[in-house]
Amino acid sequence: MNLVRPIVADPEPCADEVMLNDWHAIGFAEDFPAGELVPVTLLGRDLVAWRDSGGTVHVWEDLCIHRGARLSKGFIRNDRVICPYHGWNYEGSGQCVLIPAAPGEPPMKKAKALTHHAQEKYNFVWACIGTPARDIPAFPEWDDASFIKVSCGPYRFKSGYRALENFVDPSHFPFVHAGVNGLMDNPDPILPYEVTEGEEGLVSSEVQVTQPYGDPREVPVIAFYAYRIMRPLVAYFKKRLIISDPARAHEGNEADRFCTFLTAQMVDEQTSIVRICCAMNFDPAPTPADVRRRQDLVYAQDAAIVDTQRPERIPVDLRQELHHRTDLLGMKYRAWLARQGVAYGVY
């Protein structure tokens, strides 16, 4: 008996509806210049992203429907993607409009690239490879002109979930970021805090920590973090700041805020790319170079430890690791992932 094997990717792509129907940041806007085909991998799926001459970004399966060649190996001419194998021409809608081997024949209706949803927001390019269930989460400071915004990254991690959990975990600051975000010899006790769940996802009350190098101004602060986890791979914090050195107190005021919007692109179950956008309203404002220098340091320190965690896929069964009350937001996050039916990249 002859058996026809189904075509299965290795490793298998994600099949979780909650993930497929979500928006995922796949790069910064500047990563996709007009006229270039950019290969991207998301949730185990090979995609190609490109920008037409009008500035619109497209995200397609990296696959020619004809013989399966990678479209990302082709080129763009007159806002058409040209397959590298037989030169089939695909216009922006994905429809094939020219088969060079039969130029006098209209291409079949089924001759169409597999297109996905794409949009730009907060200087990220986002893709949804299913049917978008919700809009991209809100970044409140993005449209507030009093905040400067600085994009930072990309930062490579193994698990996007563990990277996000680390992002909302202030108790690691004194050890992973000693001398920057905390004091190893005098770590802050983390006082009880609350986490609520609503339409925005998981929201924490403020958590207080001491930061000797607290923000890009290199000024020591007492910081109060309020976290939000809006999607399985998108989170945010707003940090309220009080300058703790009386001699430098005049450099700040009660309205000072430092906010970060974090996205994680799961390339596959054990490879992720974190990108962030920082927003701050300090006066005088730090330079973008100062902001990136600090974030590059902090995320390199994070990755050096987070990537050693085992299992690399995060356990969402809370019985699989030991938890403390100071891990409340992380515990809620894991249970929230499980309730949403997330199975890809979890344990």
Side-chain angles (χ1 to χ4, degrees):
M1 181 171 61
N2 294 323
L3 293 176
V4 179
R5 291 185 177 181
I7 298 173
V8 177
D10 185 19
E12 292 190 27
C14 175
D16 298 347
E17 287 191 10
V18 67
M19 300 294 282
L20 298 177
N21 295 335
D22 200 359
W23 287 101
H24 301 268
I26 59 170
F28 294 117
E30 55 269 27
D31 295 334
F32 305 95
E36 290 189 17
L37 294 167
V38 182
V40 173
T41 304
L42 174 65
L43 302 173
R45 297 272 286 270
D46 290 332
L47 311 174
V48 58
W50 62 283
R51 187 187 300 277
D52 63 29
S53 59
T56 300
V57 171
H58 304 265
V59 176
W60 297 356
E61 249 355 75
D62 191 6
L63 179 82
C64 177
I65 196 69
H66 176 218
R67 285 293 181 268
R70 288 185 180 274
L71 293 175
S72 61
K73 296 295 186 182
F75 58 93
I76 296 174
R77 178 183 292 159
N78 298 327
D79 283 340
R80 294 178 178 178
V81 174
I82 315 298
C83 175
Y85 196 5
H86 299 94
W88 286 29
N89 282 215
Y90 296 92
E91 63 178 10
S93 68
Q95 182 63 50
C96 178
V97 293
L98 176 64
I99 297 175
E105 300 177 13
M108 308 81 80
K109 289 184 179 178
K110 290 183 178 179
K112 188 172 184 178
L114 302 174
T115 63
H116 296 297
H117 302 274
Q119 62 173 306
E120 292 185 60
K121 202 166 191 177
Y122 316 140
N123 196 41
F124 298 113
V125 169
W126 301 77
C128 174
I129 56 178
T131 301
R134 291 182 289 181
D135 199 358
I136 293 167
F139 183 7
E141 289 75 23
W142 181 258
D143 293 322
D144 186 337
S146 66
F147 283 79
I148 67 166
K149 291 88 178 178
V150 181
S151 298
C152 303
Y155 306 116
R156 187 167 289 268
F157 286 75
K158 289 182 177 176
S159 167
Y161 306 118
R162 285 201 182 272
L164 189 148
E165 184 182 64
N166 173 76
F167 176 74
V168 300
D169 169 22
S171 63
H172 77 274
F173 290 170
F175 304 96
V176 178
H177 311 298
V180 178
N181 277 346
L183 300 167
M184 183 180 293
D185 295 333
N186 188 23
D188 290 296
I190 301 297
L191 300 177
Y193 60 95
E194 296 179 352
V195 177
T196 57
E197 180 177 345
E199 292 185 357
E200 284 188 307
L202 302 173
V203 179
S204 83
S205 57
E206 287 186 334
V207 181
Q208 177 180 335
V209 295
T210 302
Q211 298 191 322
Y213 184 84
D215 60 47
R217 297 173 296 186
E218 302 184 21
V219 57
V221 299
I222 304 299
F224 300 83
Y225 282 80
Y227 295 103
R228 282 194 284 137
I229 301 176
M230 297 94 83
R231 298 288 189 275
L233 294 164
V234 180
Y236 160 93
F237 71 68
K238 175 179 283 189
K239 183 165 69 169
R240 180 166 63 90
L241 303 160
I242 298 175
I243 293 179
S244 55
D245 181 353
R248 300 186 62 181
H250 63 281
E251 298 179 31
N253 63 65
E254 293 182 356
D256 286 349
R257 297 290 184 274
F258 184 91
C259 309
T260 299
F261 187 93
L262 176 143
T263 70
Q265 170 194 348
M266 284 195 72
V267 175
D268 54 40
E269 291 187 284
Q270 296 185 0
T271 309
S272 295
I273 302 171
V274 168
R275 301 177 181 88
I276 65 172
C277 182
C278 300
M280 64 223 78
N281 60 350
F282 307 149
D283 184 17
T287 67
D290 287 340
V291 176
R292 292 193 182 100
R293 186 179 307 114
R294 175 189 168 84
Q295 299 305 320
D296 290 350
L297 169 66
V298 168
Y299 283 81
Q301 292 173 333
D302 283 328
I305 298 300
V306 171
D307 283 354
T308 69
Q309 290 180 275
R310 292 157 289 165
E312 292 171 352
R313 294 188 300 167
I314 194 171
V316 294
D317 181 341
L318 297 184
R319 296 169 298 182
Q320 298 296 325
E321 286 185 346
L322 187 60
H323 308 277
H324 185 262
R325 66 156 183 84
T326 53
D327 305 315
L328 179 63
L329 185 50
M331 287 189 287
K332 295 279 188 180
Y333 173 53
R334 294 186 184 194
W336 185 69
L337 289 176
R339 288 200 304 278
Q340 293 186 73
V342 173
Y344 188 75
V346 305
Y347 178 72

